[in-house]
Amino acid sequence: MIKNLVIVESPAKAKTIEGYLGKDFVVKSSFGHVRDLPKDNNAIDIKNKFKPTYVISSDKKEVVSQLKKLAKEAETVWLASDDDREGEAISWHLTEALDLNVAKTRRIVFREITKNAILNAISSPRGIDMDLVNAQQARRVLDRLVGFELSPVLWKKIKTGLSAGRVQSVAVRLVVEREREIEKFNAEPTFRITAQFDVQGKTLEAELPTKFKTEDEAQAFLQRCIGAIYTIGNLETKPLKRSPAPPFTTSTLQQEASRKLYFSVAQTMTVAQRLYEAGKISYMRTDSLNLSDEAIQGASNAIRNSFGEKYVKTRRFKTKSSGAQEAHEAIRPTDFTQLTASSDRNEQRLYELIWKRAIASQMADAEIEKTTATIDISTQPDKLVATGEVIKFEGFLKVYIESKDDEEGSDEDVKGMLPPLSIGQTLGLRQMQATQRYSRPAPRYTEASLVKKLEEMGIGRPSTYAPTISTVQKRGYVEKDSREGKERKFNVLTLKSDQITAQTKTEITGAEKNKLFPTDMAMVVNDFLVEHFPNVIDYSFTARVEAEFDEIAQGQQEWEQMLENFYEKFHKRIENSENINRADVSGAREVGIDPVSGQKIIAKLGRFGPYVQLGEENTETGEKPVYASLRKGQFLESLTLEDALDLFKLPRIVGMYEDKEMKAAIGRFGPYISHASKFYSLPKTMDPMTVTAEEAVALIEAKRKADAEKLIKSFPENPEVQVLNGRYGPYIVVGKKNVKIPKGKEPAELTLQECLDLAEQTPEKKGRGGFKKKTETATAEKKPAAKKTAAKKPATKKPAAKKAVAPKKK
């Protein structure tokens, strides 16, 4: 007979909790949700107040069976899923699926996995909060309705397999609009004046507060400075204070981990989840800035012990978000005396970031003395300004400085101090420069800055940021990529020794690293949704829906009524979509006329991405159109005739090797060289238009060598089994499964049967919640989906016809 059964979502969480409770407690995991909506159209009874039908997931039937058996034997069942809407829903689903006796079932919540938190939760149990459950149900049902009714419209009108979502489509819209904003941006040049003075062997740098629009104006200013005397006209010193940032919320943790650790949003949440389940940090899905009295005391003690009393300053931060749960806490360490949380490098790095941010939030202000020197120019009224700062008391800066995004600049950085100066002091000019600079558009989003934007707009919640960012990339709407910049010339005028010289220099502009770029598909789908389903993709409407979920969670609104209000207008637009002409939303456009053949060039979206088509099929002459894929960074809507004509220059014959042609082309996976029915990806440093025969041969030989070194052993009787050398050492591949080789086994001596036995013993990988992951094998050499025919020859193959798939009938 079991006295107490505690059920949590994950095995790691179960293991940590089991260590805190005595022998009277058995802790088991449900591996996430045990019930969900079925994947067919019968999941929601729209006419019966949107009543959902839930089914036990096929891979959870055994788990449910075991938990049900244990629950019957137990005197008390403790439901200990996470303290949020999703966690509350998991507890409710467990109650229903296990047919739990309400009299002997307790719901307990905690925001950190420590002994005190667990024991406190057990001493103050409660029942299931149905308001939280209904808020989760409302989100799940509404998102299912949008996905199941809107996606088939996209299949019929644009392309099979597309998807739309209430939050994901809004995120895509932000990326698309930013891209178009950048595309339309005209960089405006200005001239910035800087000067360097010699002060007793030290350099004093100053700047003119105003900028000049033209080179003539900058030249005239420098001309007026010839022979001038420069003196310190005014010195102003004033104290400044800088306060620390608040402790992390989900959003700010994702942003700072991206800036400082270069983590993706999904990686941050995965690592934080492990730290939470190991009892090292408080719950990582939160929008609260609040810290408990116990946490503040713990941080203060740690500061006092490490730095002294004067570094301690107790602070309480107020969350600006109206929907934030102040009863919850910000993300913080569970024990401030613990500096090491894990032997895993990424877990330790993220833990240190969380520790420093939380500690800094309870530290004294930094005290800074800012000096501003105004420099008079004897020949004109304009004045130069030099600023410097010196830290008088480090305060929180001793531990932590918050990073900034591209668009925020670095105004918060502490500048260096000025050399000793006095009013009336004459300065010797080393040189003065007028440098041409160009205005810049708003930067493309990173994963983290997109999360920040969504949060600012009230779209999504802590639990949805990471899944949203992952979804838009998996769906092929957004690509995270790095792009090389372009060379740009700029002019510099230099005044030195009363002589003005002019120079033209070059700089690289527009380079991007790990930024989010929309695909052509994103642009076409976004425009379609903006025109025909404005509510679904409207920023303020989406934010309002989030606010209504909050109201449901607080018991201020009925969830069925909220869904009724949304669905009535939404479904009417779905019905009206039957009248939309598919040709109007395809994204196809005529680029121009080929000057050689006189035929039209049309840019289109195809099964494997955007492409251009030259000419039409002529059944009488047998002439067929010619096709070419767009290159990375090109968009259907902005492609020029010149761009299109360049695309038709590929594929091109680079040369001969081993009596076979080497061709350069662009395919689904980027530029490549084809030779003897094999394909070799071109590195970023090589252009398919200019790659030489020597470079192509070197590429082929290098790939052959790498492949030969990778293969340790193969089995002709079963080609699906191979022993390979990988990044982390030798391993076995059996079909799509990667298998670890046990210690003591010599890879080259493995038999086919041993490999098959090891594969049989290796379980399928599981994602969060215990669901099996789809195995994706990365193929080094993939044949492009469709060969492109050179412009001078008739094509032999058209792109696959695009078939519309009708939605399932209700």
Side-chain angles (χ1 to χ4, degrees):
M1 180 74 177
I2 299 171
K3 195 168 184 181
N4 295 282
L5 172 65
V6 181
I7 306 177
V8 296
E9 309 101 308
S10 77
K13 189 175 175 182
K15 186 178 178 182
T16 306
I17 291 174
E18 203 162 38
Y20 296 133
L21 298 173
K23 60 182 180 180
D24 290 338
F25 288 83
V26 172
V27 187
K28 293 293 179 182
S29 169
S30 69
F31 296 91
H33 275 282
V34 294
R35 296 198 312 174
D36 197 4
L37 299 171
K39 293 181 179 180
D40 55 41
N41 278 354
N42 300 317
I44 301 159
D45 187 349
I46 293 168
K47 293 180 180 178
N48 189 17
K49 291 189 173 181
F50 302 92
K51 184 179 179 182
T53 297
Y54 295 106
V55 295
I56 295 171
S57 310
S58 58
D59 60 339
K60 294 299 178 66
K61 287 181 179 176
E62 188 179 340
V63 172
V64 168
S65 176
Q66 290 172 356
L67 290 176
K68 187 180 280 191
K69 183 182 176 184
L70 291 170
K72 282 185 178 177
E73 296 174 4
E75 290 180 18
T76 307
V77 177
W78 305 84
L79 300 173
S81 50
D82 290 339
D83 184 18
D84 57 15
R85 294 173 199 171
E86 207 67 34
E88 205 69 23
I90 287 174
S91 283
W92 177 69
H93 282 297
L94 282 167
T95 304
E96 298 287 311
L98 306 182
D99 195 22
L100 295 179
N101 183 341
V102 178
K104 70 170 191 175
T105 302
R106 307 284 184 272
R107 169 77 170 119
I108 54 172
V109 293
F110 40 84
R111 302 292 293 183
E112 60 183 59
I113 305 176
T114 59
K115 188 169 185 177
N116 280 346
I118 305 301
L119 295 178
N120 287 339
I122 286 175
S123 67
S124 54
R126 61 170 173 80
I128 301 288
D129 186 336
M130 285 309 298
D131 289 333
L132 290 179
V133 173
N134 289 338
Q136 190 272 347
Q137 286 196 102
R139 178 188 290 278
R140 186 77 183 90
V141 170
L142 189 146
D143 288 348
R144 170 59 70 91
L145 290 171
V146 170
F148 260 57
E149 296 203 6
L150 188 50
S151 295
V153 174
L154 298 180
W155 303 346
K156 287 196 291 183
K157 304 302 178 183
I158 302 176
K159 182 188 170 187
T160 305
L162 293 176
S163 71
R166 186 182 51 82
V167 177
Q168 78 170 54
S169 296
V170 171
V172 170
R173 182 181 181 182
L174 283 168
V175 176
V176 166
E177 290 184 348
R178 178 60 58 88
E179 190 66 33
R180 286 174 172 161
E181 187 183 332
I182 293 168
E183 188 72 28
K184 292 174 184 175
F185 184 80
N186 288 317
E188 297 286 342
T190 56
F191 281 81
R192 173 176 172 246
I193 306 292
T194 57
Q196 291 85 44
F197 297 96
D198 185 14
V199 182
Q200 298 172 5
K202 294 182 179 179
T203 300
L204 173 67
E205 295 193 354
E207 185 176 342
L208 191 71
T210 55
K211 293 177 182 176
F212 297 111
K213 289 185 177 179
T214 67
E215 187 171 339
D216 288 343
E217 289 175 323
Q219 175 87 28
F221 176 84
L222 293 182
Q223 199 74 40
R224 292 195 299 273
C225 290
I226 293 175
I229 297 169
Y230 305 90
T231 55
I232 300 294
N234 189 40
L235 274 174
E236 186 180 350
T237 301
K238 61 179 180 180
L240 295 175
K241 284 190 177 182
R242 288 195 183 151
S243 300
F248 284 129
T249 61
T250 302
S251 167
T252 55
L253 177 63
Q254 290 168 352
Q255 291 165 50
E256 196 71 339
S258 172
R259 293 185 289 236
K260 278 189 160 69
L261 308 180
Y262 305 104
F263 283 5
S264 68
V265 167
Q267 184 183 9
T268 298
M269 295 313 291
T270 299
V271 175
Q273 177 92 28
R274 293 202 296 264
L275 287 171
Y276 167 68
E277 291 178 345
K280 304 302 181 184
I281 63 170
S282 58
Y283 193 51
M284 65 285 155
R285 292 188 182 89
T286 179
D287 50 10
S288 173
L289 300 175
N290 186 45
L291 288 179
S292 67
D293 292 339
E294 184 183 351
I296 290 173
Q297 189 61 49
S300 298
N301 290 340
I303 296 163
R304 195 174 288 111
N305 293 336
S306 297
F307 308 112
E309 185 65 45
K310 65 179 180 177
Y311 282 89
V312 178
K313 183 173 181 179
T314 300
R315 302 172 190 271
R316 294 190 182 277
F317 295 90
K318 185 71 178 172
T319 307
K320 293 177 183 177
S321 170
S322 58
Q325 300 294 307
E326 289 297 339
H328 294 164
E329 281 194 80
I331 303 168
R332 60 166 177 83
T334 55
D335 182 356
F336 284 95
T337 65
Q338 195 168 352
L339 302 181
T340 303
S342 174
S343 57
D344 179 90
R345 181 171 178 266
N346 284 341
E347 287 179 23
Q348 180 60 26
R349 290 170 74 206
L350 190 66
Y351 178 79
E352 285 177 4
L353 192 65
I354 293 167
W355 186 92
K356 287 178 179 179
R357 177 84 164 218
I359 280 282
S361 75
Q362 299 304 309
M363 291 180 75
D365 291 336
E367 296 175 10
I368 297 163
E369 187 177 82
K370 181 177 180 180
T371 302
T372 303
T374 305
I375 302 167
D376 293 337
I377 307 171
S378 64
T379 56
Q380 59 184 326
D382 295 299
K383 299 176 189 296
L384 297 164
V385 176
T387 59
E389 294 174 346
V390 58
I391 298 174
K392 293 293 189 180
F393 175 63
E394 283 180 298
F396 75 93
L397 293 177
K398 199 171 185 73
V399 172
Y400 182 82
I401 300 174
E402 185 180 18
S403 298
K404 300 292 178 186
D405 287 321
D406 296 349
E407 61 264 38
E408 294 179 291
S410 55
D411 294 339
E412 292 298 306
D413 292 343
V414 177
K415 298 172 183 175
M417 65 184 294
L418 297 178
L421 299 170
S422 59
I423 293 177
Q425 180 179 350
T426 301
L427 305 174
L429 179 69
R430 286 183 182 171
Q431 69 172 24
M432 188 181 293
Q433 286 188 318
T435 307
Q436 188 177 31
R437 287 287 173 250
Y438 290 86
S439 57
R440 294 187 299 171
R444 290 180 175 88
Y445 290 107
T446 61
E447 287 189 354
S449 64
L450 181 57
V451 165
K452 182 181 179 183
K453 184 67 175 176
L454 289 169
E455 184 185 43
E456 287 173 353
M457 299 176 81
I459 296 165
R461 288 295 180 263
S463 61
T464 64
Y465 299 140
T468 297
I469 300 299
S470 297
T471 297
V472 297
Q473 292 178 67
K474 286 177 185 172
R475 301 281 191 242
Y477 290 131
V478 172
E479 295 175 336
K480 183 163 75 170
D481 201 4
S482 297
R483 303 274 169 93
E484 293 178 3
K486 295 178 182 177
E487 203 172 77
R488 178 172 66 190
K489 293 180 179 179
F490 67 98
N491 297 326
V492 180
L493 303 175
T494 303
L495 169 62
K496 191 172 184 179
S497 303
D498 286 344
Q499 296 289 322
I500 299 174
T501 56
Q503 238 183 330
T504 299
K505 297 184 177 182
T506 58
E507 63 182 351
I508 301 297
T509 181
E512 301 279 19
K513 187 175 181 181
N514 291 330
K515 295 294 182 70
L516 299 180
F517 294 82
T519 61
D520 272 293
M521 186 60 72
M523 291 179 163
V524 171
V525 171
N526 176 74
D527 292 349
F528 175 79
L529 294 176
V530 167
E531 182 178 355
H532 300 287
F533 296 90
N535 272 12
V536 174
I537 207 166
D538 179 72
Y539 297 134
S540 58
F541 172 79
T542 309
R544 176 59 199 154
V545 169
E546 293 290 352
E548 287 182 327
F549 290 148
D550 292 340
E551 289 170 7
I552 294 167
Q554 293 157 19
Q556 298 169 0
Q557 185 174 168
E558 294 295 325
W559 71 288
E560 296 96 342
Q561 187 58 51
M562 179 260 178
L563 291 173
E564 181 74 45
N565 297 340
F566 169 85
Y567 186 74
E568 189 177 350
K569 293 176 184 175
F570 171 70
H571 188 66
K572 193 171 184 180
R573 286 191 175 271
I574 293 287
E575 291 175 331
N576 293 340
S577 68
E578 291 295 329
N579 303 321
I580 299 170
N581 185 352
R582 178 170 184 164
D584 295 337
V585 295
S586 66
R589 57 180 279 265
E590 186 178 320
V591 176
I593 303 296
D594 175 27
V596 177
S597 66
Q599 293 181 308
K600 285 182 184 177
I601 297 177
I602 299 170
K604 295 181 177 182
L605 259 180
R607 184 181 172 195
F608 299 114
Y611 67 95
V612 282
Q613 174 182 320
L614 171 61
E616 299 286 347
E617 185 170 7
N618 189 323
T619 52
E620 293 180 7
T621 63
E623 189 177 351
K624 295 180 182 293
V626 182
Y627 305 99
S629 295
L630 266 63
R631 303 182 74 169
K632 186 172 278 190
Q634 293 181 323
F635 293 107
L636 290 174
E637 61 185 41
S638 58
L639 192 77
T640 65
L641 177 59
E642 187 181 359
D643 294 333
L645 292 172
D646 275 344
L647 292 172
F648 287 118
K649 291 175 183 176
L650 295 174
R652 73 179 183 92
I653 297 171
V654 176
M656 301 292 290
Y657 180 54
E658 297 174 345
D659 297 327
K660 292 185 176 66
E661 286 181 343
M662 296 182 292
K663 288 183 181 178
I666 299 174
R668 259 179 98 186
F669 305 101
Y672 66 93
I673 295 288
S674 65
H675 175 260
S677 301
K678 290 194 174 181
F679 299 84
Y680 305 87
S681 294
L682 282 177
K684 287 183 179 180
T685 53
M686 292 186 190
D687 189 317
M689 297 297 296
T690 58
V691 64
T692 64
E694 291 77 12
E695 289 172 328
V697 169
L699 198 71
I700 292 167
E701 289 292 346
K703 186 68 175 69
R704 286 177 179 176
K705 186 173 182 287
D707 286 348
E709 291 172 351
K710 183 178 180 180
L711 181 65
I712 296 174
K713 192 171 187 179
S714 61
F715 303 92
E717 63 270 37
N718 191 339
E720 282 207 334
V721 181
Q722 290 181 315
V723 183
L724 303 175
N725 249 323
R727 186 178 170 190
Y728 303 107
Y731 67 102
I732 303 165
V733 173
V734 178
K736 292 184 177 181
K737 184 186 280 189
N738 292 342
V739 181
K740 195 175 179 181
I741 298 174
K743 285 183 180 178
K745 288 277 186 183
E746 183 59 43
E749 295 175 6
L750 286 166
T751 65
L752 174 60
Q753 191 56 51
E754 283 178 315
C755 292
L756 293 173
D757 289 344
L758 287 169
E760 186 66 31
Q761 295 162 21
T762 303
E764 293 286 343
K765 281 192 176 181
K766 293 184 179 181
R768 187 183 173 198
F771 294 104
K772 287 181 182 178
K773 287 183 177 178
K774 289 180 182 175
T775 308
E776 294 179 5
T777 52
T779 307
E781 300 172 5
K782 276 202 175 180
K783 187 175 178 179
K787 284 187 181 179
K788 296 174 292 301
T789 311
K792 306 301 177 189
K793 300 176 185 176
T796 56
K797 190 176 179 183
K798 285 180 71 177
K802 293 174 269 185
K803 244 187 336 187
V805 178
K808 295 177 183 176
K809 292 181 180 178
K810 291 186 179 178

